[in-house]
Amino acid sequence: MIVGKVVGSVVATRKNENLVGSKFLIVEPLESMKGANNRIVAIDHVGAGISEIVLVAQGSAARIGCDMADSPVDAAIVGIVDDGIGLE
């Protein structure tokens, strides 16, 4: 699982039919190397917003975590961090 900060959003009017109605956010991992662009696009089913710290699952855990086992999802926001020691 990755802890990251939501830094933007993606709008895709044409997408796989299993993704219609889904919100996509750009997440920058907090542990990323300086100067490296490690941002990922994650599907959001928990209502996260820009600048929030979130938990992101990847791979098959992402599909299971957002109840989309048959969808082409590789990263999913599965939680919004309320408080964390040492974050940011």
Side-chain angles (χ1 to χ4, degrees):
M1 190 164 312
I2 295 169
V3 178
K5 183 174 185 176
V6 178
V7 295
S9 62
V10 175
V11 176
T13 55
R14 297 184 68 180
K15 56 190 160 269
N16 180 283
E17 64 185 30
N18 292 342
L19 300 176
V20 172
S22 297
K23 180 170 116 180
F24 301 100
L25 296 176
I26 301 169
V27 178
E28 185 171 299
L30 293 183
E31 296 293 319
S32 64
M33 296 172 48
K34 291 186 181 198
N37 187 357
N38 296 332
R39 293 178 176 181
I40 57 174
V41 175
I43 195 165
D44 175 39
H45 280 257
V46 297
I50 304 295
S51 298
E52 288 192 292
I53 305 298
V54 295
L55 300 173
V56 179
Q58 291 186 298
S60 60
R63 290 186 292 280
I64 294 167
C66 64
D67 202 23
M68 299 180 77
D70 297 325
S71 299
V73 173
D74 187 52
I77 296 172
V78 295
I80 300 171
V81 176
D82 294 319
D83 189 21
I85 297 172
L87 295 178
E88 285 195 284

